Amino acid sequence: MKKIVFFDIDGTLLDHEKNLPDSTKEAIDKLKKNGTFVAIATGRAPFMYENLRSELDIDSFVSFNGQYVVFENEPIYRNPLKTAEIEKLYRHAQSNGHPLVFMNEKTMKSSVTHHPFIEESMGSLKFPHPEEDHEFYTGRELYQSLLFCEEKDEEKYISSAAYPHFGFIRWHPYSVDVLPAGGSKAEGIKQMIKRLGFDLKDVYAFGDGLNDIEMLNAVGTGIAMGNAEEVVKKAADRVTSGVDQEGIWKGLKELQLI
């Protein structure tokens, strides 16, 4: 019976220095040689992990936390943000001094020339501050935006009935993902396994972040990394070692997938 394993990137495939552990690369290679489908499920945009996909020879992925799904290099599902709603959020955030970053599958642009919150949070992913283009949201499909504010200020947006079409997920002390409401890695995975015809019991996922909770609950077997927060571990069926303690290798071995 064919199986598929989805992997989050940051804190799961990549360690805290954004490096790919040798044991992880070896495990993915062995997994594929055993005939198991391998896919990535991430909050990142596709352009942000091209090198990783190339290194691991993976061409199926769930990106933008489920809003843009590709199977063997072919897009099979798109769920863009509503342009009018993005404009409303942009004006609101601008009035509060909170910048945005707009993202499609190819690139990202900032609503401001420079902001320390953008620099620090994007820097944590080893990316530079994006170029400014405050009108980038017009005339094209965007699958995710990033709102830059501290947790104490996020209630202005998250608790407001003004954004029923959006979901907000914090991923950094200074940044929140802005997604279509109801969008998640879990929904993106459902789209892919529907396309492939897999049974849920043959679907596995590894993750460590808050945006992985729905995914870990939705698949047949969800595995939390040892470095995951406790709430993520509680959502998982199993917990493996940390990303820097051969967590992927050990987890796949325990599942008898390698």
Side-chain angles (χ1 to χ4, degrees):
M1 189 66 68
K2 282 284 189 180
K3 301 177 186 292
I4 186 167
V5 185
F6 291 88
F7 295 94
D8 169 55
I9 293 180
D10 300 293
T12 301
L13 287 178
L14 299 184
D15 65 20
H16 305 301
E17 301 301 317
K18 305 306 176 189
N19 296 317
L20 179 68
D22 290 340
S23 65
T24 298
K25 187 173 181 179
E26 187 179 346
I28 299 292
D29 187 53
K30 199 171 184 66
L31 194 60
K32 289 190 294 183
K33 285 177 178 173
N34 288 350
T36 300
F37 277 95
V38 178
I40 285 172
T42 180
R44 290 191 184 210
F47 68 86
M48 300 175 80
Y49 56 102
E50 288 176 347
N51 290 342
L52 180 63
R53 295 203 308 273
S54 176
E55 186 171 1
L56 294 175
D57 193 24
I58 295 175
D59 51 22
S60 297
F61 53 89
V62 172
S63 56
F64 294 117
N65 284 312
Q67 314 320 306
Y68 188 81
V69 180
V70 169
F71 175 66
E72 293 186 345
N73 295 318
E74 177 196 350
I76 60 171
Y77 177 72
R78 295 181 175 92
N79 185 29
L81 295 161
K82 295 180 183 296
T83 302
E85 295 297 308
I86 277 286
E87 178 162 23
K88 183 166 72 173
L89 177 63
Y90 168 48
R91 302 299 177 194
H92 184 187
Q94 189 180 36
S95 71
N96 290 320
H98 298 146
L100 294 176
V101 162
F102 310 112
M103 309 175 82
N104 66 6
E105 74 278 16
K106 295 178 179 175
T107 190
M108 59 182 166
K109 300 292 182 182
S110 170
S111 66
V112 295
T113 304
H114 179 265
H115 194 283
F117 285 9
I118 297 179
E119 186 161 24
E120 183 159 336
S121 50
M122 296 310 297
S124 74
L125 298 176
K126 307 294 187 187
F127 279 90
H129 193 297
E131 293 179 353
E132 186 272 337
D133 182 352
H134 63 274
E135 295 184 337
F136 188 73
Y137 64 88
T138 62
R140 56 174 56 83
E141 287 189 340
L142 300 184
Y143 300 98
Q144 185 168 301
S145 186
L146 304 177
L147 169 66
F148 296 86
C149 68
E150 293 177 277
E151 191 169 358
K152 64 183 175 64
D153 294 318
E154 70 181 28
E155 287 299 310
K156 296 182 177 73
Y157 311 97
I158 294 176
S159 65
S160 172
Y163 302 106
H165 299 291
F166 290 161
F168 298 86
I169 302 174
R170 180 164 292 278
W171 64 275
H172 186 276
Y174 293 150
S175 188
V176 176
D177 289 335
V178 182
L179 302 163
S184 67
K185 291 184 183 183
E187 182 58 36
I189 286 173
K190 284 177 192 173
Q191 294 294 330
M192 190 180 293
I193 63 176
K194 183 169 71 175
R195 172 70 172 259
L196 295 172
F198 280 97
D199 287 333
L200 200 57
K201 66 180 177 59
D202 298 318
V203 182
Y204 303 77
F206 285 74
D208 75 306
L210 298 177
N211 64 340
D212 294 319
I213 290 175
E214 288 184 65
M215 170 178 80
L216 297 177
N217 280 323
V219 299
T221 304
I223 306 95
M225 303 300 290
N227 46 275
E229 294 184 40
E230 283 305 310
V231 66
V232 181
K233 292 178 181 177
K234 286 178 181 175
D237 299 295
R238 294 170 180 253
V239 178
T240 184
S241 303
V243 62
D244 53 358
Q245 297 170 318
E246 300 189 344
I248 296 296
W249 176 272
K250 291 176 182 175
L252 291 172
K253 199 80 173 167
E254 190 177 322
L255 291 165
Q256 298 183 331
L257 293 174
I258 59 172

